[in-house]
């Protein structure tokens, strides 16, 4: 009788235009920081899911520090046997841009590990556009398979102040039993808004995250939108990591003068600490707009030639652990890989990753 009354009440509310919200009492939420957080150099930072350690706050430009609070490249690894999976998170800034999706800016992205040790996309969590806190269901009615391994990518262009993972009240949840991606000797990548993830439709489609899944090796994303100007504290931060290799990709934010003034010192800071770790230098891509804007064309060509000259100087000094990635290898003349002639679509990120992976593999052998 009580069940009948409840059903009639719900039907009346729906018919009256009153929003019916399903109860989540069957879910138990866990703080994501209790699990394995990868892709960060600031595991103990005051701001949860920050990319940069707190001790760098007073040595970095404010713009760099603020961008370091964006959670680009950070992911949470966990395992659970739940049939329904929810997430609840609070965005740090809750802002929007007119050329990038909300799911890419401040959404979440869920992948699960398959039997062949590859990762496959399961679902994305779309943020609430009007509130900082979002609750979203990422999976339901999952087939019984015991403990599944998951990787939850965090927002690319916003920070995450708090994150909880909701599972069935009787489900088990842990930090995961499989060491994938491998976190020993991560790949450390430094660059611009492109490297940070602009303009991927969802976090998993940034090329740094694609590379991480393809190689099953942790990638540290040190992309700083509009601010990759070879700041020397970033070189010190990179050198603090026992990395498999370093990828240096700052040209879209640099002038030729900045390259001449700072790149050699940036490189030497890393080399003094990591004399044998491979370093990959990445040219500026040959953006589609270069066909129609002579000034842009000449500027990009000049910067690429400057980088090549500096690189050749390092090689002439006897460094055999440096590698060079040409800008022409990114787009190969395809004009359909960007949103705005500069920032990449998911297709662009996929091709960028596919072309960069062989160079990384060659470097880390």
């Amino acid at each position: 009788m009580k069940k009948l009354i409840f059903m009639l009440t719900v039907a009346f509310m729906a018919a009256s235009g009153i929003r019916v919200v399903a109860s989540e009492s069957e879910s138990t939420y866990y703080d994501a920081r209790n699990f394995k957080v990868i892709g960060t150099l600031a595991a103990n930072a005051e701001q949860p899911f920050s990319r940069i350690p707190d001790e760098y706050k007073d040595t970095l430009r404010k713009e760099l520090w603020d961008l370091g609070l964006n959670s680009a490249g950070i992911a949470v690894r966990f395992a659970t046997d739940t049939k329904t999976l929810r997430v609840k998170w609070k965005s740090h800034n809750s802002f929007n841009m007119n050329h990038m999706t909300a799911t890419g800016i401040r959404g979440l992205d869920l992948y699960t590990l398959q039997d062949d040790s590859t990762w496959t996309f399961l679902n994305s969590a779309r943020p609430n556009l009007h509130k900082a806190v979002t609750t979203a269901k990422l999976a339901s009615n999952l087939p019984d398979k015991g403990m599944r391994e998951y990787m939850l990518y965090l927002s690319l262009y916003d920070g995450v102040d708090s994150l909880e993972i909701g599972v069935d009240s009787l489900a088990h949840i842990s930090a995961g039993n499989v060491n994938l991606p491998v976190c020993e000797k991560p790949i450390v990548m430094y660059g611009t808004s492109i490297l940070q993830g602009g303009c991927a439709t969802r976090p998993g489609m940034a090329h740094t995250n694609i590379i991480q899944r393809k190689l099953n090796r942790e990638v540290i994303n040190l992309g700083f939108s509009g601010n990759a100007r070879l700041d020397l504290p970033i070189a010190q931060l990179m050198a603090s990591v026992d990395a498999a290799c370093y990828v240096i990709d700052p040209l879209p934010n640099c002038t030729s003068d900045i390259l001449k003034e700072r790149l050699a010192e940036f490189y030497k800071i890393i080399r003094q600490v990591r004399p044998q770790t491979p370093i990959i230098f990445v040219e500026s891509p040959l953006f589609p707009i270069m066909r129609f804007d002579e000034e842009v064309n000449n500027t990009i060509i000049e910067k690429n030639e400057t980088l090549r000259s500096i690189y050749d100087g390092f090689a002439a000094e006897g460094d055999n652990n440096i590698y060079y990635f040409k800008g022409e290898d990114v787009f190969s003349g395809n004009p359909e890989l960007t949103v705005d002639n500069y920032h990449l679509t998911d297709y662009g990120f996929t091709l960028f990753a596919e072309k960069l992976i062989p160079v990384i593999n060659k470097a880390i052998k």
Side-chain angles (χ1 to χ4, degrees), residues 15-231:
S16 303
I18 301 173
R19 186 181 178 194
V20 181
V21 180
S23 171
E24 293 182 12
S25 59
E26 71 275 12
S27 293
T28 301
Y29 283 84
Y30 297 87
D31 190 329
R33 290 175 296 178
N34 293 329
F35 308 116
K36 186 175 183 179
V37 180
I38 65 174
T40 178
L41 299 180
N44 299 313
E46 180 179 350
Q47 173 68 29
F49 311 111
S50 170
R51 293 184 286 164
I52 300 178
D54 289 344
E55 57 264 30
Y56 281 81
K57 184 174 183 179
D58 295 331
T59 60
L60 288 177
R61 290 185 290 116
K62 183 179 185 304
E63 294 86 352
L64 272 177
W65 174 256
D66 290 344
L67 287 165
L69 299 180
N70 294 167
S71 51
I74 298 178
V76 178
R77 279 282 288 109
F78 63 97
T80 178
D81 57 1
T82 189
K83 294 182 70 67
T84 301
L85 183 61
R86 292 183 171 92
V87 286
K88 183 188 299 181
W89 78 102
K90 181 183 179 183
S91 297
H92 186 63
N93 297 309
S94 299
F95 75 104
N96 299 296
M97 296 189 290
N98 63 9
H99 66 327
M100 186 171 175
T101 65
T103 49
I105 295 171
R106 50 193 175 100
L108 310 179
D109 218 358
L110 184 66
Y111 283 75
T112 186
L113 192 65
Q114 302 183 103
D115 292 339
D116 62 357
S117 295
T118 61
W119 294 93
T120 188
F121 172 68
L122 200 157
N123 201 1
S124 61
R126 292 173 287 180
N128 189 315
L129 296 181
H130 307 291
K131 297 180 180 179
V133 177
T134 301
T135 301
K137 182 189 292 185
L138 280 169
S140 58
N141 304 312
L142 287 165
D144 292 327
K145 195 184 176 183
M147 298 288 281
R148 277 188 174 83
E149 301 279 339
Y150 293 99
M151 181 156 57
L152 181 66
Y153 285 113
L154 275 56
S155 310
L156 295 172
Y157 266 71
D158 204 338
V160 175
D161 287 345
S162 63
L163 172 62
E164 297 174 83
I165 298 170
V167 299
D168 299 337
S169 58
L170 298 180
H172 302 88
I173 185 168
S174 70
N177 301 311
V178 181
N179 185 32
L180 292 175
V182 174
C183 294
E184 294 74 22
K185 287 188 172 292
I187 298 165
V188 179
M189 301 181 67
Y190 166 65
T192 67
S193 55
I194 296 173
L195 197 138
Q196 186 174 336
C199 290
T201 60
R202 51 186 178 83
M205 293 310 298
H207 71 302
T208 55
N209 289 338
I210 295 172
I211 290 169
Q212 178 172 265
R213 294 194 302 277
K214 292 291 186 180
L215 298 182
N216 247 334
R217 183 185 291 266
E218 181 182 18
V219 172
I220 305 296
N221 183 319
L222 293 178
F224 302 99
S225 180
N227 281 275
R229 300 173 193 160
L230 296 170
D231 294 77

